[in-house]
Amino acid sequence: MQGVEFAKDLIQKEIRGLELLFQSLDEDEKFNEALQVMSNVKGKVIVTAVGKSGHVGKKIAASLASTGTPSFFIHSTEGVHGDLGMVEQEDVVIMISNSGETLEVLNLLPTLKKIGVTTISITRDKESTLAQASDIALSYTYEEEADHLNLAPTTSSTICLVIGDALACALSNKKDFTKEDFHLYHPGGSLGRNLST
């Protein structure tokens, strides 16, 4: 299987992962709980992860910021080398790890507990160390990664990205965030130009 055939098979695997996520939201009140905590936060929403999850985390933090929720990303490795100084008690920290056992992410937990922040994890394993240590654990499931080796973060990273989009947009909707508000934070590019008119 090559080319378009391979691509369509890969996309179908990722779609299946999103279908499982869609179905699971009906049974899990954790999403609403996370949404409530994030909407009431007096500080910032900070996202942390490493690897491909880190790239997804940066996008989630950027989406939150542009849709009305002050947010930024901390690389988990940098966190234990001083960047945890950016975190304050009134913040919420979203921690992403597909396995829930990523050492660099877990290493943040003792300090985050001492600071007293609320932690939200996004992981496939609700029994993992990270999920069990978090105040709110958002978990997901999928049948396989979409690459031919079933190894590269593909299905899992897409699911995390969609969870982040869902949180950011649901928060924005909850806050009655308007086009004018969006333009305030996004005056540049074609989006900014279109909103100016």
Side-chain angles (χ1 to χ4, degrees), residues 30-41 171 174:
K30 296 294 184 181
F31 184 89
N32 284 337
E33 194 178 334
L35 192 61
Q36 192 62 40
V37 165
M38 292 168 71
S39 68
N40 291 333
V41 67
L171 271 173
K174 192 175 175 69

Side-chain angles (χ1 to χ4, degrees), residues 46 48-50 73-87 104-105 107-108 111-112 115:
I46 299 164
T48 188
V50 298
F73 175 81
I74 293 178
H75 192 283
S76 302
T77 302
E78 299 296 340
V80 294
H81 289 274
D83 281 4
L84 283 173
M86 301 176 189
V87 183
E104 296 90 339
V105 177
N107 285 342
L108 301 175
T111 302
L112 292 175
I115 294 170

Side-chain angles (χ1 to χ4, degrees), residues 82-177:
D83 281 4
L84 283 173
M86 301 176 189
V87 183
E88 300 174 287
Q89 187 175 10
E90 68 249 11
D91 297 335
V92 170
V93 177
I94 298 175
M95 311 176 77
I96 307 171
S97 166
N98 186 45
S99 66
E101 302 297 341
T102 306
L103 191 58
E104 296 90 339
V105 177
L106 296 178
N107 285 342
L108 301 175
L109 285 167
T111 302
L112 292 175
K113 294 295 182 189
K114 285 180 185 174
I115 294 170
V117 299
T118 300
T119 53
I120 299 170
S121 61
I122 302 177
T123 173
R124 75 164 189 260
D125 186 359
K126 61 184 176 184
E127 302 302 326
S128 66
T129 304
L130 180 61
Q132 293 297 306
S134 302
D135 296 305
I136 302 168
L138 301 178
S139 61
Y140 54 87
T141 187
Y142 60 95
E143 293 166 354
E144 58 186 329
E145 296 289 9
D147 74 299
H148 67 290
L149 300 174
N150 189 24
L151 292 173
T154 45
T155 307
S156 58
S157 57
T158 297
I159 290 170
C160 286
L161 184 62
V162 170
I163 290 171
D165 284 345
L167 285 169
C169 294
L171 271 173
S172 182
N173 181 60
K174 192 175 175 69
K175 293 176 177 181
D176 295 321
F177 195 73

